Amino acid sequence: MTAYEPDPRRWKALAVSLTAGFMGLLDVSIVNVALPSMQAGLHASSGGIRWVVSGYALAFGLVLVTGGRLGDAFGRRNMFLGALAAFVLTSALAGAAPNETTLVLARLAQGVAAGMLTPQNTGLIQDLFRGAERGRAFGMFGAVVGISTAVGPILGGFIIALFGAEDGWRWVFYVNVPIGVLAFALALRMLPRSEKKQVKISSEIDFVGIVLLAVAVLGVLLPVVESDQGGLTRLWWLFPVALVFGVAFVRWEHSVVRRGRSPLLDTRLFTGTPGYTTGAAVGALYFCGFAGIWLVFAMYFQQGLGYSPLQSGLSVTPFALGSAVSAAVAGRLVPRFGRRLTVTGLAMVAVGLLAVALLAELVPPAASGWAFALPLLFAGVGGGMVISPNTTLTLECVPVRMAGVAGGALQTGQRIGTAIGTAVLASVFGMVLGRGYPVALTVALGCAAVLTCGALALAVAELRARRHRASEQEAEARKAEASAADVHRG
């Protein structure tokens, strides 16, 4: 077995891959403040515009695990370059869309490209880094995930202010083109070449698993993204369908492993990898509460207070600033504090959101932008301590051969959480809107805080489990030392 020799260009390669990953994740939230501009510019229906957001999240979530498996099979570099090229092309198509239908189709294709691109980041980290460096790299990736979601509304507001309300939304997509082209050129130079593999499509790619998982994820996401149009009532039957296909998927993957073939999602990740299952659940539940607040804030500030997209984005800047700073610091503190960082961060987010919910009732609406600044900053600092450390801790024990699919599964949970949280919080906001915008914001943020507390409970349970595993390992080490001492004396 050859010794590990670090690639001298590994940090540059990571910077290139994270830049591309940032674009894909940014497009989840950046369009929220641009929706009114899109609807006016294309004379589009509210249902069609809703699919600009929902369709992207749906396509993104459907292909993440498949993208990770394809990267494992065909090489990260090949998949990264192909997905990045597709993302740049579909971004240009979305920006140039002449009508609602073209825009929705372009966003679906863009979501597929982003879903294929994102898991290559975690796979590359597993390939290029070892030990403490891997923890730092995962910390940087987690920071990108959190910051990209938080700064989306701010960047969207700036772009629309710069290019105008009528066509500014097009530049929300066009901005990806020059950045993507530059990232592609750098990736050609920086990313390590994959080893040549003799891959047999029929044995390496689990097509049955792809279909079963796609139907299961679609069955969960479709009713949720259609919830504000009665989707939960019309499409409720998709939930039991999703359950049936989900069970069938797990049973099929078990059988694939038993036969010695390559599964789409190796179920041993959830049974034989310490901390992976709970960490993935923490991420999914946190994104239920975290990702949905941006659409709620956009509706409150733009519809309720008459803010421009730029003013709306700037109003949530404290969260983004706090998240950016703490994520950079928290990634370096994971080896020292571990899961305690996640627990502390989740508690801070819950407290910050509850404070904003309370202030929405107490302060005049005209002063809410300034009044929310401090608790949003506090919540942002906590948010930066959640995603980056949780990503590191969840993936730290994953074998290199499962790196891509493990990252894809983790991101799938977060994308499902994003879709569910956005739909739920927007629906709650709409249901109580008759009592006024401040009340609607209070109730929606209260729901977000409850979801965050659910993630907090899981994180506390995982912290206790880690301490128990550590104490067992110490006891076994002491027993081994005692046995060795006895043999030496004998």
Side-chain angles (χ1 to χ4, degrees):
M1 185 176 180
T2 59
Y4 164 68
E5 294 184 7
D7 190 314
R9 297 178 298 177
R10 61 194 181 280
W11 291 108
K12 293 180 180 178
L14 178 65
V16 172
S17 70
L18 292 184
T19 298
F22 180 84
M23 289 192 302
L25 294 164
L26 182 71
D27 270 46
V28 175
S29 63
I30 195 172
V31 299
N32 284 333
V33 296
L35 293 181
S37 176
M38 288 180 197
Q39 191 165 4
L42 291 177
H43 306 290
S45 66
S46 58
I49 290 300
R50 186 183 67 255
W51 269 96
V52 171
V53 178
S54 302
Y56 183 84
L58 186 63
F60 198 135
L62 280 174
V63 302
L64 274 164
V65 174
T66 302
R69 181 66 194 99
L70 291 173
D72 291 340
F74 294 108
R76 320 273 186 228
R77 184 178 190 271
N78 298 332
M79 283 299 301
F80 182 91
L81 292 172
L84 178 56
F87 185 79
V88 171
L89 177 61
T90 52
S91 295
L93 291 175
N99 53 53
E100 171 188 320
T101 302
T102 305
L103 178 59
V104 171
L105 291 175
R107 281 287 281 176
L108 288 169
Q110 190 189 28
V112 171
M116 291 289 181
L117 179 65
T118 299
Q120 311 317 321
N121 284 298
T122 53
L124 284 166
I125 290 171
Q126 293 280 54
D127 288 346
L128 293 173
F129 298 95
R130 297 289 186 275
E133 281 194 346
R134 181 182 289 177
R136 285 177 56 197
F138 272 132
M140 294 171 67
F141 172 71
V144 165
V145 173
I147 294 170
S148 62
T149 306
V151 304
I154 304 167
L155 292 180
F158 269 114
I159 291 171
I160 293 172
L162 185 62
F163 292 100
E166 185 173 348
D167 289 322
W169 66 269
R170 296 186 183 276
W171 290 94
V172 168
F173 302 116
Y174 283 149
V175 73
N176 292 329
V177 176
I179 299 174
V181 169
L182 178 61
F184 188 91
L186 292 173
L188 283 172
R189 293 184 56 193
M190 298 297 178
L191 296 189
R193 292 190 175 276
S194 308
E195 294 182 5
K196 296 290 184 182
K197 295 183 179 182
Q198 297 296 323
V199 178
K200 293 183 179 179
I201 299 290
S202 58
S203 60
E204 286 288 335
I205 305 303
D206 180 11
F207 290 105
V208 174
I210 290 172
V211 173
L212 291 173
L213 180 62
V215 174
V217 174
L218 185 66
V220 173
L221 288 183
L222 190 58
V224 170
V225 299
E226 286 279 295
S227 62
D228 60 342
Q229 297 294 313
L232 294 177
T233 303
R234 290 185 294 106
L235 302 173
W236 63 267
W237 52 273
L238 281 176
F239 288 119
V241 169
L243 178 62
V244 170
F245 275 81
V247 172
F249 171 74
V250 172
R251 293 176 64 88
W252 172 260
E253 296 303 285
H254 277 309
S255 71
V256 170
V257 172
R258 282 199 305 269
R259 286 180 280 141
R261 297 180 62 186
S262 300
L264 176 66
L265 177 60
D266 196 325
T267 51
R268 288 173 293 187
L269 268 175
F270 300 95
T271 57
T273 306
Y276 183 84
T277 301
T278 307
V282 167
L285 196 51
Y286 174 65
F287 267 79
C288 274
F290 161 71
I293 65 176
W294 310 117
L295 182 56
V296 168
F297 276 126
M299 291 189 293
Y300 174 77
F301 285 120
Q302 292 187 53
Q303 297 175 6
L305 303 186
Y307 282 20
S308 69
L310 177 58
Q311 291 172 318
S312 175
L314 289 174
S315 297
V316 296
T317 299
F319 190 105
L321 290 176
S323 180
V325 173
S326 67
V329 176
R332 298 175 180 271
L333 297 178
V334 172
R336 182 177 178 184
F337 295 104
R339 183 59 72 179
R340 284 177 290 174
L341 283 172
T342 313
V343 171
T344 303
L346 287 167
M348 291 176 66
V349 173
V351 170
L353 292 180
L354 287 173
V356 175
L358 182 62
L359 287 171
E361 287 288 301
L362 296 178
V363 303
S368 59
W370 291 105
F372 296 168
L374 189 59
L376 281 177
L377 177 64
F378 184 80
V381 171
M385 296 166 61
V386 175
I387 301 173
S388 174
N390 186 63
T391 302
T392 303
L393 295 168
T394 303
L395 298 176
E396 65 180 353
C397 295
V398 173
V400 172
R401 62 186 174 81
M402 298 184 189
V405 72
L410 180 63
Q411 282 287 314
T412 298
Q414 293 177 1
R415 297 285 72 78
I416 291 175
T418 296
I420 292 175
T422 301
V424 168
L425 295 186
S427 297
V428 168
F429 185 89
M431 282 190 295
V432 295
L433 190 56
R435 298 170 59 187
Y437 279 93
V439 175
L441 182 65
T442 296
V443 175
L445 292 183
C447 291
V450 169
L451 292 168
T452 304
C453 287
L456 174 60
L458 290 175
V460 170
E462 171 59 15
L463 176 60
R464 291 177 175 173
R466 280 177 173 270
R467 288 175 174 171
H468 180 68
R469 289 195 298 267
S471 63
E472 286 186 337
Q473 291 171 355
E474 288 178 4
E476 290 178 1
R478 286 196 298 269
K479 188 182 297 184
E481 289 176 0
S483 298
D486 289 342
V487 171
H488 181 71
R489 284 195 297 269

